[in-house]
Amino acid sequence: MRARGMRRTFLTLSAWEDRSALYRFAGSEPHRSSSRAAAAYTKEAGFVFWTVPASELPISWAEAERRLAEAEKEEEAKKEARTEEEKEEEKREGHG
């Protein structure tokens, strides 16, 4: 686990055989209850996925954080694109 306390962000790094296995774990006890209790101290919860051959496990924190930063950039670019699309739509509808 890594903590960015001032940002109320906590990171965990784990390897799963598939997403179904992760979701089963996340929805089971005691994880479900402890996650709900931790929600008061954290921002939102989310997952970032990538595929790695078993021979490359374990992934280092440096590599995980590099991939997370890449995923965050991609998500921000998508949000910006949606915002631009919304502005264009408003112009076409005569609201902008």
Side-chain angles (χ1 to χ4, degrees):
M1 175 182 256
R2 290 262 170 115
R4 298 173 181 162
M6 298 302 286
R7 292 171 51 190
R8 293 177 37 207
T9 302
F10 301 87
L11 307 171
T12 60
L13 176 61
S14 57
W16 296 89
E17 191 169 301
D18 56 37
R19 290 184 190 203
S20 296
L22 168 62
Y23 293 136
R24 281 193 306 275
F25 170 78
S28 67
E29 294 299 337
H31 187 270
R32 181 177 52 214
S33 295
S34 60
S35 295
R36 287 183 181 154
Y41 305 102
T42 63
K43 289 184 178 179
E44 64 205 41
F47 297 101
V48 177
F49 298 97
W50 62 86
T51 302
V52 178
S55 61
E56 294 180 19
L57 294 174
I59 296 293
S60 70
W61 271 105
E63 176 63 10
E65 291 192 286
R66 183 193 69 75
R67 290 177 185 232
L68 180 58
E70 186 177 290
E72 288 172 344
K73 284 182 191 175
E74 290 173 7
E75 187 61 30
E76 188 59 35
K78 287 178 187 176
K79 286 180 185 177
E80 289 177 17
R82 284 192 297 269
T83 300
E84 289 300 318
E85 289 173 10
E86 290 167 0
K87 288 179 185 176
E88 289 299 318
E89 183 66 25
E90 287 177 0
K91 285 181 186 177
R92 285 192 295 275
E93 293 177 357
H95 298 4

